[in-house]
Amino acid sequence: MNTKLQVATAPKTGTFQVRINPEIKECVEAIYAKSGISLTDAFNLFLQQTINVEGLPFLVTSDSREFLHQQAALVLMSELKAGEDSVQNEGGWISEEDILKEFAP
């Protein structure tokens, strides 16, 4: 599989049609519009992520929401720990007052 493909820049010469309930389409378009993207953009993002991970870009289970919440919490905790470790390795914490003094005009 060619995982180097870039959906955004690839020539668009093929077509794909799908039938969808108009109410569902409208609802989904409104959701994506809040993020500033169209349904076509969202579909292309889905295709790109499918290529990137070589499979479905999300978990499909009956408890996906809880699993994704747990995964997000683990990633956040890992990032917080990495930040804490990097500060400790670089000589300690910097107080808010010191930062304000450093960047004050």
Side-chain angles (χ1 to χ4, degrees):
M1 176 183 292
N2 185 356
T3 58
K4 305 261 190 238
L5 289 173
Q6 296 296 313
V7 173
T9 58
K12 311 257 186 305
T13 57
T15 61
F16 176 79
Q17 291 182 332
V18 62
R19 294 207 179 272
I20 187 170
N21 177 287
E23 290 178 55
I24 292 172
K25 181 178 182 252
E26 185 178 310
C27 179
V28 171
E29 286 175 329
I31 291 168
Y32 290 136
K34 290 178 188 175
S35 298
I37 64 173
S38 68
L39 182 55
T40 300
D41 295 333
F43 183 71
N44 284 326
L45 287 170
F46 173 81
L47 294 178
Q48 185 64 61
Q49 280 301 100
T50 299
I51 291 168
N52 293 348
V53 301
E54 297 185 4
L56 281 173
F58 50 81
L59 183 65
V60 180
T61 68
S62 60
D63 61 348
S64 294
R65 176 175 275 184
E66 180 61 27
F67 177 79
L68 292 173
H69 176 76
Q70 290 173 358
Q71 289 299 106
L74 288 173
V75 168
L76 177 60
M77 294 306 294
S78 173
E79 290 294 319
L80 289 171
K81 178 73 173 127
E84 182 180 332
D85 291 346
S86 72
V87 169
Q88 290 175 353
N89 293 335
E90 294 175 12
W93 296 97
I94 299 172
S95 71
E96 180 180 354
E97 293 82 19
D98 290 340
I99 291 173
L100 292 174
K101 285 178 193 173
E102 185 174 333
F103 294 103

